Amino acid sequence: MKKNTTTMSNIELDRKTERFIARCRANGLKVTPQRIAIYRGLVDTDEHPSAEMLHEKVKKVFPGISLDTVNRTLLTLSEIGAASVVEGSGDARRFDGDSEKHQHFKCVQCKRIVDFHHKAFDRIKVPVGIARRFTILSKSVYLEGICDLCRRR
Amino acid sequence: MKKNTTTMSNIELDRKTERFIARCRANGLKVTPQRIAIYRGLVDTDEHPSAEMLHEKVKKVFPGISLDTVNRTLLTLSEIGAASVVEGSGDARRFDGDSEKHQHFKCVQCKRIVDFHHKAFDRIKVPVGIARRFTILSKSVYLEGICDLCRRR
DNA sequence: TTTGTAAATAGGAGTAGCTACTATATAGTA
DNA sequence: TACTATATAGTAGCTACTCCTATTTACAAA
């Protein structure tokens, strides 16, 4: 019996793959078998894998693939909106000593992090289902974009 | 003339330092000059420094201090609530291929990331001042805590 | 179908950021 | 003042990521 790590039907997966291929072409990206394998590996799980984890998975169908290719491809997918980075930036950990409640905006270009405080964001309510299932220690609202200084060029 | 990287008066800074010392004692942590220097360096800026950046800064008043001490101390401060990590986890970057709108909960113990979707979180509104100043590319609500599986022990 | 070429890949080397280890030093306590 | 648990400095090691180069490949144009 085959171990099932699948989160959707093959039909659904194929449909997504089709749309992914279209998206690649729309962005002038070549459709390589490696890219498709990585995309399918990523979409067909809800584990939020790291590049390393996906590399292991994709190697089973594509033994020669390199970790660098997986990493590079994942970043490319993020750029065209076919994937997203949900944790970790690859950059150094950044600290804040301000204990007042506030939120952060991060510039994706210069990596500057700007504080702001919007009271409504302090008050967002965690849905009951989540609050029951998990012990919530922190909740935060996080914005990303281009900052005023970078936009000025 | 002294370059001014200060964000608050010396009086304010000293008051914060006092409270920090009390907090250390309350948590059974020793009050070392290094710890104080690191704390003051962190609080007296709004740059959200990395360990490396703070290390450079603290070295000016404390030449022999090691990067490891800065890193370790910052994590310690985070544990007692005197600081927080605002970006980067030290762990590997994690990806998501689900393009549907949703939010994430991350377990601080097992690092598992769980998707959930709460429509109200899709609709949070960015304050006008921020929207005018920055080009917002993404907004997200992020929860951290202990997951059901980890709590069961 | 063939050919040209810009893009992608494999493999490996290099780098940055973090962590573990050990000997020494020090804060807090009795 | 002496004791002990904790913290630090210095170093070595590890992991995640990025860069480099030669080779291969997708795909456009002939």
Side-chain angles (χ1 to χ4, degrees):
Chain A
M1 190 183 147
K2 195 176 141 233
K3 191 174 146 207
N4 184 18
T5 52
T6 294
T7 60
M8 62 188 78
S9 68
N10 286 335
I11 298 146
E12 173 71 4
L13 183 55
D14 289 345
R15 273 201 328 121
K16 288 203 177 225
T17 306
E18 280 311 310
R19 273 185 280 142
F20 170 65
I21 290 173
R23 180 169 238 160
C24 282
R25 296 207 201 281
N27 286 275
L29 295 180
K30 291 185 175 171
V31 179
T32 64
Q34 289 93 332
R35 237 167 224 174
I36 292 176
I38 292 165
Y39 175 77
R40 289 174 69 99
L42 173 64
V43 165
D44 196 27
T45 178
D46 55 6
E47 276 190 315
H48 305 87
S50 62
E52 165 68 27
M53 287 157 80
L54 253 180
H55 184 222
E56 285 307 313
K57 187 174 174 183
V58 174
K59 260 203 294 197
K60 284 172 190 161
V61 276
F62 224 107
I65 199 164
S66 77
L67 174 60
D68 184 44
T69 295
V70 176
N71 230 323
R72 212 174 355 85
T73 300
L74 286 170
L75 293 177
T76 305
L77 299 201
S78 302
E79 273 166 27
I80 65 168
S84 57
V85 179
V86 293
E87 176 68 23
S89 55
D91 302 316
R93 195 154 43 196
R94 303 274 287 274
F95 295 89
D96 189 346
D98 184 358
S99 49
E100 302 295 316
K101 242 195 175 328
H102 64 274
Q103 291 85 30
H104 297 109
F105 164 86
K106 185 185 182 188
C107 177
V108 296
Q109 271 180 34
C110 69
K111 318 247 165 173
R112 184 164 66 112
I113 297 169
V114 179
D115 293 328
F116 67 94
H117 188 204
H118 184 55
K119 291 224 178 73
F121 287 171
D122 296 345
R123 290 192 294 262
I124 58 161
K125 270 193 62 186
V126 177
V128 239
I130 296 294
R132 222 197 313 267
R133 186 166 163 212
F134 307 128
T135 307
I136 303 298
L137 295 175
S138 81
K139 44 182 188 171
S140 56
V141 177
Y142 187 71
L143 304 178
E144 276 192 345
I146 316 283
C147 78
D148 44 359
L149 301 178
C150 287
R151 204 164 48 180
R152 210 167 290 160
R153 298 182 232 133
Chain B
M1 188 183 148
K2 196 175 138 237
K3 191 176 146 206
N4 183 17
T5 51
T6 293
T7 60
M8 64 188 77
S9 67
N10 286 333
I11 298 149
E12 174 71 3
L13 183 55
D14 288 344
R15 274 202 326 121
K16 288 204 178 223
T17 306
E18 281 309 310
R19 273 186 279 142
F20 169 66
I21 290 174
R23 181 169 236 160
C24 283
R25 296 205 201 283
N27 286 274
L29 296 180
K30 290 185 175 171
V31 179
T32 65
Q34 289 93 333
R35 236 166 225 176
I36 293 176
I38 292 165
Y39 175 77
R40 288 173 70 100
L42 175 63
V43 165
D44 196 26
T45 179
D46 55 7
E47 277 190 315
H48 306 88
S50 63
E52 167 67 27
M53 288 157 79
L54 254 180
H55 184 221
E56 285 308 314
K57 187 175 176 185
V58 174
K59 260 204 292 197
K60 285 172 191 161
V61 277
F62 225 108
I65 199 163
S66 75
L67 174 59
D68 184 44
T69 296
V70 176
N71 228 324
R72 211 174 356 83
T73 300
L74 286 169
L75 293 176
T76 306
L77 299 200
S78 303
E79 272 166 26
I80 64 168
S84 58
V85 179
V86 293
E87 176 67 23
S89 56
D91 301 315
R93 197 154 40 196
R94 303 274 287 274
F95 295 88
D96 190 346
D98 184 358
S99 50
E100 302 295 316
K101 242 196 175 330
H102 64 273
Q103 292 84 29
H104 297 109
F105 164 86
K106 184 185 182 190
C107 178
V108 295
Q109 273 181 30
C110 68
K111 319 247 164 169
R112 184 163 66 112
I113 296 170
V114 180
D115 293 329
F116 68 95
H117 188 204
H118 183 52
K119 291 222 178 74
F121 287 170
D122 296 345
R123 289 191 295 262
I124 58 162
K125 271 193 61 186
V126 177
V128 238
I130 296 294
R132 221 196 315 268
R133 186 168 164 212
F134 307 128
T135 306
I136 304 298
L137 296 175
S138 81
K139 46 182 187 170
S140 56
V141 177
Y142 187 71
L143 304 178
E144 277 192 345
I146 315 284
C147 78
D148 45 358
L149 302 178
C150 286
R151 204 162 53 178
R152 210 168 289 159
R153 302 181 227 133

